[in-house]
Amino acid sequence: MSERTAIAAALATVRSRVAEACARVGRDPSSVTVVAVSKTHERPAIEAAIAAGQKVFGENRVQEAQAKYPALKSAHRGLKLHLIGPLQTNKAAAAVALFDVIETLDRPRLAEVIAREIARQKRAPTLLIQVNTGEEPQKAGIPKPEADEFIHMCLDYWDLPVRGLMCIPPVDEDPAPHFAWLAACAARHGLSQLSMGMSADFETAIAHGATHVRLGTAIFGARPAPAPG
């Protein structure tokens, strides 16, 4: 099976699973956006997904996205790009310029820099606040105890276009309580978007209200092994 055929088949399976997960909880499948995680995958794989109707992609690193997506966006109208990896403040200007959605706003200093770049560039990507629901020291995300205050600051002090929340639960825990907590936090602040759920748990995330699920392996297969160093 060719790469193009395999990716088209995988996307068809994903769409079917999303529809089934939505049906189980009485949701419209159109309320869930699949973000195809294309990190480490090259242009032919992304083109194959586009040919199969995929329009929304996610990248972890600004530099990698800069190398791939300007040409892809020029060639394919309507493509949307999400930043789903941690963002350094020195890459914020490039991120504001390139991405349509930044899902990983997670600290006051980054909020300040993004606010400045939005004002300077006159371009305002949609922002999601990443919450470290598992309070894992190795992971990005605003700590849970600080989330409410940080959300208020982003909305009321920096006047940022925050529309929702994002989380990555610990791999060794049941994700459902993390998704439930995130959904409740978003509801408290009137935020409508929830980016939660990946290839292993996206159906659970949909049951808890996910509006965006970030799928890499389920669409593109295993990530290519890094080149030997």
Side-chain angles (χ1 to χ4, degrees), residues 38-151:
S38 54
K39 63 180 182 181
T40 77
H41 294 285
E42 301 298 332
R43 181 164 178 162
I46 300 168
E47 293 272 16
I50 294 168
Q54 182 65 28
K55 294 291 188 185
V56 184
F57 293 85
E59 285 282 335
N60 273 48
R61 297 168 62 88
V62 174
Q63 192 168 351
E64 183 180 347
Q66 284 178 310
K68 294 192 291 193
Y69 276 92
L72 283 163
K73 281 187 150 194
S74 293
H76 301 281
R77 291 187 55 151
L79 225 58
K80 299 294 182 185
L81 185 58
H82 291 226
L83 179 63
I84 59 172
L87 178 58
Q88 298 173 306
T89 53
N90 65 354
K91 297 287 199 308
V96 169
L98 178 60
F99 289 90
D100 301 288
V101 181
I102 295 172
E103 298 198 9
T104 50
L105 173 57
D106 67 351
R107 58 198 187 279
R109 176 62 181 146
L110 182 59
E112 291 174 357
V113 174
I114 289 176
R116 185 169 67 238
E117 285 303 322
I118 287 174
R120 186 179 71 84
Q121 297 186 33
K122 303 293 190 288
R123 185 178 194 272
T126 295
L127 301 176
L128 305 185
I129 290 173
Q130 181 176 356
V131 182
N132 187 346
T133 58
E135 301 187 54
E136 298 174 278
Q138 78 279 15
K139 272 189 186 167
I142 192 78
K144 279 171 66 176
E146 301 172 25
D148 286 305
E149 182 180 358
F150 183 60
I151 294 166

